[in-house]
Amino acid sequence: MYKHTVGHTVYKFNSLADLMAKATPLRSGDQLAGIAARSYQERVAAQMALAELPLSVFLEEHLIPYNQDEITRLIIDTHDKANFKTISHLTIGDFRNFLLDNTTTKEVLTSLQKAITPEMAAAVCKIMSIQDLILVSAKCEVITSFRTTIGLEGRLATRLQPNHPTDDVKGILASVVDGIFNGSGDAVIGINPATDNVANQIQLLQVLEDVRTRYEIPTQICVLSHITNTILAIEQGAPVDLVFQSIGGTEKTNSSFGINLSMLKEGKEAAVSLNRGTVGNNVMYFETGQGSSLSANAHHNIDQQTLEARAYAVARAFDPLLVNTVVGFIGPEYLYDSKQIIRAGLEDHFCGKLMGLPMGCDVCYTNHAEADQDDMDVLMTLLSTAGCNFIMGIPGADDIMLNYQSTSFHDALYIRQLLGLRPAPEFEEWLIKSGIMNKNLQLTQLDLSNKLLNIVS
């Protein structure tokens, strides 16, 4: 049991999981699960108690028992004990101060990536302000590569997301063309298929591959099918660049997705064997989101932000090219309004980058949430100052297949112009060579009408 006294009131917390949940900033998902703090006073008391805990506690008390969860085993068995010695004497409060210290540089944080467990990252996150999260995230650098190099300082990539409600090829290609000629697509051109089967996946992959090779576009392609379908597609000779999978922070969550760690390993090995990368061979693409474990009834009474960080331990084990939190997609049952969505997006980015992941974000909301596009502008701008590796590029910011609101091609142009950010270097060179952008990365007045029609037809 943990406790903290505020004035004449003693607040008691039954376990480490209970303490972590009560210390979490207000979250509708934790309220739905019945584990949130009952008052602001209790939340502050929990945060104060949490700040006094040594980091080493998280190696001794497991939120889910070691013998019951393969994610717990992964976290403990792969922990970097040697580098942890340099911070093992710190409490959570001390750890926050250490991260914010000017002498804690990018190089120091890089050396500690695998010494920081997801529970440590989640715990310190709970006592940090928005500006704390941004400042530390901006000091973290995680670089990955396949045909483009993602995560370099001064760069912001985009996933071109050309979804279509019937997987109509001409509709998809129209969105691809729109995105390419607005400078989007350097992280990946990735389709969420409306129909998830192997034959459809192979057809869509071939469509993207034809465009990529015909115009020698230096990017990677992906159809975001279930990993089992992607493995079968590879066996049938499909042009697979990246293996996609949604992941969660508990074994039970991943079971609800129809996956486990050995399956992810098989998918990675299959993609690596194709050797399709030109500047690197990071072949995995993962998506996550706060609330996924609760929605699967697989949360073990652990708060959703901590479980999200545990999902990053899964991703970290497979050296992905891209990881993005689809922050507002699951809905207001888990993140009620813009205040919660904005905080969650920055928390996810912070925890992922601190743990060594190439974090992007689908800055998004559903239409029944208490949020709008102004709120997404705020979160996108904050994340970009925090060193976000990539964001989404969707026609008009409106995904007509998944029925949610995200960020547009023009949003990416805005944030690159505002902060002086550039596309991935290989993609930037191609944009200039193709006449789509000039050397100042401004869109040209190139007459593209014939080229557009040729690609779509």
Side-chain angles (χ1 to χ4, degrees):
M1 178 179 289
Y2 300 87
K3 61 183 180 180
H4 193 86
T5 303
V6 179
H8 297 291
T9 304
V10 179
Y11 291 91
K12 296 180 180 180
F13 309 98
N14 296 326
S15 65
L16 183 56
D18 184 41
L19 176 64
M20 295 272 280
K22 297 296 193 297
T24 305
L26 183 63
R27 213 63 26 117
S28 57
D30 293 336
Q31 291 177 311
L32 180 63
I35 60 175
R38 293 176 288 262
S39 66
Y40 284 98
Q41 290 86 346
E42 185 180 30
R43 181 172 297 111
V44 171
Q47 290 172 340
M48 294 173 73
L50 186 61
E52 295 170 356
L53 285 187
L55 287 174
S56 57
V57 165
F58 295 92
L59 300 174
E60 299 161 359
E61 185 175 345
H62 304 153
L63 299 184
I64 307 174
Y66 183 91
N67 62 354
Q68 295 180 17
D69 185 89
E70 69 173 357
I71 312 306
T72 300
R73 293 193 290 276
L74 174 69
I75 292 165
I76 298 303
D77 294 348
T78 61
H79 183 239
D80 181 357
K81 297 177 180 62
N83 280 307
F84 181 67
K85 290 179 181 177
T86 64
I87 57 172
S88 61
H89 61 288
L90 299 177
T91 65
I92 292 297
D94 294 332
F95 187 42
R96 170 188 173 273
N97 295 336
F98 167 83
L99 293 173
L100 291 167
D101 195 294
N102 289 336
T103 63
T104 303
T105 61
K106 173 178 68 178
E107 291 73 22
V108 171
L109 292 174
T110 299
S111 71
L112 291 172
Q113 288 171 353
K114 294 184 179 179
I116 299 169
T117 69
E119 291 84 357
M120 295 174 192
V124 74
C125 179
K126 296 176 193 301
I127 65 167
M128 296 178 77
S129 67
I130 292 289
Q131 62 183 261
D132 291 344
L133 297 173
I134 293 172
L135 189 60
V136 176
S137 298
K139 291 200 288 185
C140 300
E141 184 178 69
V142 183
I143 300 170
T144 56
S145 57
F146 190 78
R147 290 195 191 92
T148 56
T149 306
I150 311 298
L152 293 167
E153 186 176 357
R155 307 274 177 174
L156 176 68
T158 60
R159 169 190 162 189
L160 200 170
Q161 184 169 308
N163 296 343
H164 192 278
T166 64
D167 289 335
D168 179 78
V169 169
K170 288 188 176 182
I172 287 169
L173 286 176
S175 295
V176 170
V177 168
D178 188 15
I180 289 291
F181 290 118
N182 277 289
S184 279
D186 45 344
V188 64
I189 302 176
I191 303 172
N192 296 92
T195 303
D196 190 3
N197 60 55
V198 178
N200 189 55
Q201 180 180 8
I202 292 175
Q203 179 188 16
L204 294 178
L205 282 168
Q206 196 59 61
V207 166
L208 294 181
E209 178 73 350
D210 289 346
V211 172
R212 186 191 70 77
T213 55
R214 187 191 313 178
Y215 296 99
E216 300 180 328
I217 305 171
T219 189
Q220 31 285 329
I221 61 173
C222 185
V223 174
L224 282 68
S225 289
H226 192 274
I227 190 170
T228 52
N229 285 348
T230 303
I231 292 170
L232 291 172
I234 290 173
E235 292 173 352
Q236 295 180 37
V240 172
D241 288 343
L242 305 183
V243 173
F244 167 81
Q245 185 55 50
S246 295
I247 56 174
T250 72
E251 180 178 343
K252 191 175 177 182
T253 306
N254 287 329
S255 294
S256 76
F257 293 153
I259 63 165
N260 54 38
L261 296 180
S262 63
M263 191 179 294
L264 297 177
K265 182 174 184 288
E266 181 184 355
K268 177 185 176 181
E269 290 173 349
V272 167
S273 71
L274 299 179
N275 197 31
R276 288 171 56 84
T278 55
V279 296
N281 212 18
N282 296 111
V283 297
M284 302 300 285
Y285 175 15
F286 295 117
E287 287 189 347
T288 65
Q290 288 193 28
S292 60
S293 291
L294 178 58
S295 67
N297 194 28
H299 61 293
H300 297 269
N301 288 322
I302 300 169
D303 70 272
Q304 63 186 42
Q305 187 258 323
T306 299
L307 292 175
E308 174 74 2
R310 281 173 56 96
Y312 301 153
V314 177
R316 184 169 63 179
F318 298 98
D319 303 313
L321 178 75
L322 308 168
V323 178
N324 72 276
T325 166
V326 193
V327 64
F329 181 73
I330 303 182
E333 300 87 352
Y334 307 98
L335 296 170
Y336 177 71
D337 58 13
S338 60
K339 182 178 178 65
Q340 293 186 17
I341 292 171
I342 289 169
R343 169 86 194 186
L346 292 166
E347 288 172 346
D348 296 349
H349 180 67
F350 164 83
C351 289
K353 291 294 283 289
L354 193 63
M355 293 172 60
L357 287 179
M359 290 301 294
C361 184
D362 192 341
V363 180
C364 64
Y365 64 101
T366 57
N367 287 314
H368 61 310
E370 291 294 322
D372 59 27
Q373 211 64 38
D374 285 345
D375 301 314
M376 299 306 102
D377 285 350
V378 171
L379 178 53
M380 174 180 60
T381 305
L382 293 176
L383 282 167
S384 299
T385 64
C388 191
N389 282 24
F390 67 102
I391 59 173
M392 304 298 117
I394 298 173
D398 181 13
D399 192 303
I400 59 173
M401 193 277 279
L402 292 174
N403 291 309
Y404 78 114
Q405 311 303 310
S406 184
T407 48
S408 71
F409 307 135
H410 298 89
D411 292 332
L413 291 173
Y414 144 73
I415 204 67
R416 283 173 173 166
Q417 179 181 346
L418 176 70
L419 300 178
L421 301 172
R422 308 171 76 91
E426 301 84 358
F427 195 73
E428 176 186 314
E429 182 180 352
W430 179 83
L431 287 171
I432 295 171
K433 180 181 176 181
S434 301
I436 295 171
M437 286 185 168
N438 60 29
K439 291 184 178 180
N440 295 321
L441 296 185
Q442 299 167 328
L443 293 177
T444 66
Q445 300 301 313
L446 183 66
D447 182 5
L448 302 171
S449 56
N450 290 332
K451 187 174 286 190
L452 294 173
L453 291 172
N454 287 339
I455 293 175
V456 173
S457 62

